[in-house]
């Protein structure tokens, strides 16, 4: 997590073909970069999709970034038809957090940010309720209250977009109890991560702990996923579970589940901020 | 798991009301029984359902069983309107196993039975395929091949019932790839435990590992449950999961899942054989 | 965790003998109490030690407490030679927290207290460093800075005792980096819970994460235990672990371990505050 | 786990320096190999130790193996001073198993071998007791009984070496209750994997479950490690744990632990047979 100025990340993905690893590592080495860590995966030995995350060290990275990008564009883009992203590790992602009234996921993220566990900045927290303003501002972070009135979601989303546009690289829904419209997601143009309080695809939709109790499951879980227009259907980043027993009430399940929710969401956001999560259709590759 | 002749189990359940624990323990003590272990649970502090499992030691239990049963019937049944079961620990449950071609759950149960880990006898294994006959017979256990021809399930079920009726206290479906009819379940008249190869209610029905891969989940699991007419809907006894990652194929998921399946099924069967599982509507209380 | 005024807990332990459960439950029922939950355990079927925790509902408990205590004393103490504690659930334990510079265990406890997850009050936090004062006071809790100068621990302990004596029912060491003297523990006279940052008895003493890395273990853990004069040797209340891999540094282990530490400590403190932890020599029974 | 004839594995390790990944992948690509999977790790960004495992596809691998080996020797060995191993995936490791009387680890390994889960052959099982001969031979595997008489271990080890030398690539101690001498290990000349029935370094030496019960731990575990002359001190390959509670006896711990032992040992042996385990001093890198 130490990110001196000279570290970079190269994310490559596309149709698999022989020689990609050699080409990528060769291109980096030619430009004087030393590969510090490399993860690679293919969905299938032949004809599959290819994924690679490379961390490299290159003295004077900032000045050389444009030249390196150009060279990679020629080699990886034009010749091999691959998508790639070139990222300076020192540029922390700007992460906005949407929240309603529950504080556990929010506080866990803010506390990890303060400890330096997640390489992100948090330019703002936005809520449809005023309750968590004090907690947020104690971390030195702006808190904006944007009420969502019944039947006037479009108004609220417009106000939210005004706050977010151009200011953030990621939006995190930390138990935000409103559904975002497809227009909002399109307009926003950056990834959105949500935490769902069940082990998806079990208990999609509302009231998962209540339904878990009714079904008598022996484990409850949580799922962090990218948000798409299809509610609770987006690519899963991380999941985990905790054991529960017959003597526990719905409220007990909520409490135990809250511990899983905050861990799962924090892991997912941390991995995203380190460019470890690559989308593969409706799945993810997590390096 | 040591079950000398003088240990008994008393399972009580019914509508909760004040004083049940005192009444039950008083009745046992009056008859000279010493309570060795007691588990008790109420679904709700007031007006809920009551569950209790008591293990006791009573010298000469076999001869005193009828008298004790009569006394309990008066106190618990007539006075309090509770259901109860009185069981001698030395009487091991007779368990038949249905299997198709996959051996992992079957062999795990037979190994544990041989090692004395599960207090059961296995009078027979029945399969719709002949493949596992040799493996079963090496344990000294009869193996019966009852083919299930397309459109003739009723014929097969009749033959299965002829084998089972009166001979077994529990039927275990150890990855048996046929659905049992409601008539079969009614006619059989003993509990049936199935292992489903997913974390229910996720991925009910066929092909759960394939669907887990497609959905991109980060954990796969297994569920042992009592069989009811509603497929994959019966009361859950035990569940567990194992972590999987993007680089694992459907076949890898099947292999990892097989380890979870056999552990989960063996635990569920063991608990049932020790009278630890009490049904509560479509849930279970596991003591 | 709802603790209306009329709920009580009765904790009984001592040499096992026939009839204890019946006697205890009979005594409660006689006084009009309804047993809501009962956990019971014996270290050995014959000649072992007996443990029981009973939660009961008794309208007007506060006024009847003395009479009930007297009756139990006669029945359980005089006749059966058992130790017992009778507790009103509405009386929350007063918990002081000692801390040094690390905030993760402290904040987790304070968050849970604020959310009502742990039935305790926190009358004070004491630290040998001033760093965490602001964080603590934001929760409305007094923070006292008691420096521990080299060679002058006795002075500091005297000051700490002046703060604590008579004001607390439990002391929690939330990564407090000082060893408490035997005299302090004797003088204090209430239980002390510590969190050790390893899976005890592995890596007792200092620097467990460093040593875990050197030994190449594949899991790191944490242990909450009652403090005795023998460092890291007291009765264990709770333990848990998390998987680590070769690519993780000592600092990564510390971060992952911190998540385990706070969960393990919070569970242990919560169970203690609900009178779920009974000491059995150098072990614990956790109901 | 499908290993057609044309798949190979290249394991590289040594002092880290810039450009190794590019050199290795370049060398493979030059020879017509397509990299299917690549794992790489450095113990430290600068001046550390370097580890890489590459799986590649090369039509006609068997005939080209010598030429490829020569080329790699020049590039990796002579130029960069790295150690490397070049392995044909189709050549399964020959694994001998030593066992005493307990069958759970042995049977799990043999059963997984039969299912094709571990890419190994088992040319022999050797035991100091005759008890498990029938079980082994039912798998079609030779069983040799080599008694170890008190004070005559050297005689037994000589007989064991006669059986093993030249015939095996790995020796697995599947709860073999004898300590092997340093001379035996030297003479044998292939890796030896042991399963220890505790979470090392906790409870090294004899009787770990008994001592776990006495210490009152809340989890028991197992550790698979390479055997060195220092008992229970060799490099750890894999560990796992399972939760236990106060009401469980030493025998219960042994039973629960047995499930962990067999899983941990099978994973470790499987990973070794797929060349996923690289030694790093007294630790391991597991890809």
């Amino acid at each position: 997590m130490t990110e001196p100025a000279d570290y970079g990340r190269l994310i490559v993905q596309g149709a698999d073909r022989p020689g990609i690893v050699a080409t990528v590592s060769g291109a980096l080495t030619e430009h004087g970069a030393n590969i510090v860590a490399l993860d690679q995966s293919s969905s299938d030995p032949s004809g599959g999709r290819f994924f690679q995350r490379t961390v490299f060290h290159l003295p004077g990275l900032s000045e050389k970034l444009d030249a390196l990008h150009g060279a990679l564009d020629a080699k990886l883009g034009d010749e091999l038809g691959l998508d790639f992203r070139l990222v300076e590790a020192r540029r922390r992602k700007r992460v906005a957090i949407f929240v309603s009234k529950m504080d556990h996921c929010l506080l866990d993220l803010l506390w990890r940010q303060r400890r330096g566990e997640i390489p992100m900045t948090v330019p703002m927290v936005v809520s449809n309720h005023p309750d968590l303003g004090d907690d947020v501002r104690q971390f030195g972070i702006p808190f904006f209250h944007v009420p969502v009135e019944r039947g006037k979601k479009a108004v609220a989303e417009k106000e939210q977009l005004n706050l977010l546009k151009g200011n953030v690289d990621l939006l995190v829904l930390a138990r935000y109890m409103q559904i975002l419209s497809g227009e909002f997601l399109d307009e926003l143009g950056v990834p959105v991560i949500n935490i769902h309080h069940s082990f998806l695809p079990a208990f999609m939709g509302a009231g998962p702990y209540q339904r878990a109790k009714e079904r008598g499951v022996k484990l409850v879980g949580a799922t962090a996923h990218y948000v798409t227009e299809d509610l609770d259907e987006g690519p899963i980043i991380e999941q985990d579970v905790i054991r529960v027993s017959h003597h526990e009430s719905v409220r007990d399940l909520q409490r135990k589940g809250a511990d899983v929710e905050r861990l799962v969401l924090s892991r997912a956001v941390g991995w995203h901020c380190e460019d470890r999560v690559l989308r593969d259709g409706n799945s993810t590759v997590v390096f």
Side-chain angles (χ1 to χ4, degrees), chain A:
Chain A
M1 207 88 62
T2 49
E3 285 131 80
D6 295 338
Y7 282 83
R9 300 180 198 124
L10 174 60
I11 315 300
V12 179
Q13 65 187 96
D16 199 5
R17 47 189 292 176
I20 299 180
V21 176
T23 302
V24 173
S25 52
L28 287 171
T29 304
E30 263 172 46
H31 280 77
N34 182 30
I35 293 172
V36 173
L38 187 156
D39 289 290
Q40 177 273 338
S41 181
S42 298
S43 66
D44 204 276
S46 66
R49 296 172 305 288
F50 175 90
F51 306 89
Q52 185 174 329
R53 176 184 185 264
T54 311
V55 180
F56 60 89
H57 183 253
L58 177 56
L61 175 61
S62 286
E63 301 84 58
K64 299 174 184 168
L65 203 67
D66 283 351
L68 183 58
H69 195 284
L72 291 169
D73 208 16
K75 281 228 164 147
L76 302 181
D78 300 346
E79 280 180 34
L80 298 174
L82 297 166
D83 293 324
F84 74 94
R85 277 184 298 134
L86 185 63
V87 179
E88 286 182 89
R90 73 177 177 86
R91 298 185 69 92
R92 299 178 162 237
K93 303 237 185 307
R94 302 165 301 166
V95 179
I97 302 173
F98 275 22
V99 72
S100 291
K101 290 185 169 175
M102 272 173 289
D103 63 0
H104 57 285
C105 288
L106 170 72
L107 291 177
D108 207 66
L109 285 169
L110 297 185
W111 171 74
R112 286 180 201 273
Q113 192 274 335
R114 186 173 78 175
R115 281 161 68 93
E117 279 192 26
I118 300 180
M120 65 177 179
T121 61
V122 180
M124 72 187 75
V125 172
V126 178
S127 179
N128 54 334
H129 295 284
D131 309 50
L132 297 174
D134 284 355
D135 278 324
V136 170
R137 291 182 182 124
Q138 282 174 0
F139 282 88
I141 292 170
F143 175 89
F144 303 118
H145 177 210
V146 181
V148 182
E149 290 174 45
R150 190 175 295 273
K152 296 191 178 170
K153 182 182 285 188
V155 178
E157 290 194 341
K158 194 159 188 299
E159 188 176 344
Q160 291 164 342
L161 283 170
N162 284 341
L163 293 165
L164 297 170
K165 288 280 288 183
N167 292 321
V168 303
D169 303 306
L170 175 72
L171 172 59
V172 173
L173 309 182
R175 299 299 309 274
Y176 181 64
M177 307 305 276
Q178 297 280 333
I179 296 170
L180 300 173
S181 71
E183 291 72 34
F184 177 92
L185 295 174
D186 286 345
E187 186 70 22
L188 180 61
V190 303
V192 181
I193 294 178
N194 181 48
I195 181 74
H196 184 76
H197 41 316
S198 83
F199 179 77
L200 289 174
F203 308 121
M204 294 170 65
Y209 292 121
Q210 176 70 38
R211 288 150 65 205
K213 179 70 186 171
E214 287 162 8
R215 184 62 189 89
V217 293
K218 302 302 185 185
L219 304 163
V220 296
T223 304
H225 63 94
Y226 288 116
V227 175
T228 62
E229 278 202 64
D230 298 311
L231 189 67
D232 302 336
E233 295 273 19
I236 293 170
I237 304 169
E238 171 64 342
Q239 303 184 289
D240 215 337
V241 294
I242 193 167
R243 189 161 284 273
V244 295
S245 100
H246 58 85
H247 68 256
E248 291 176 286
S249 65
V250 174
R251 202 172 163 207
D252 293 329
L253 267 49
Q254 287 167 337
R255 276 177 177 149
K256 278 195 163 179
D259 280 335
V260 182
E261 291 167 31
R262 61 180 184 156
L263 274 173
V264 164
L265 181 61
S266 291
R267 276 186 219 141
V269 172
W271 294 340
H272 178 94
C273 289
E274 295 174 349
D275 298 296
R276 293 181 177 281
V277 191
L278 285 67
R279 291 205 200 182
D280 177 16
N282 204 45
S283 297
T284 61
V285 168
V286 181
F287 284 130

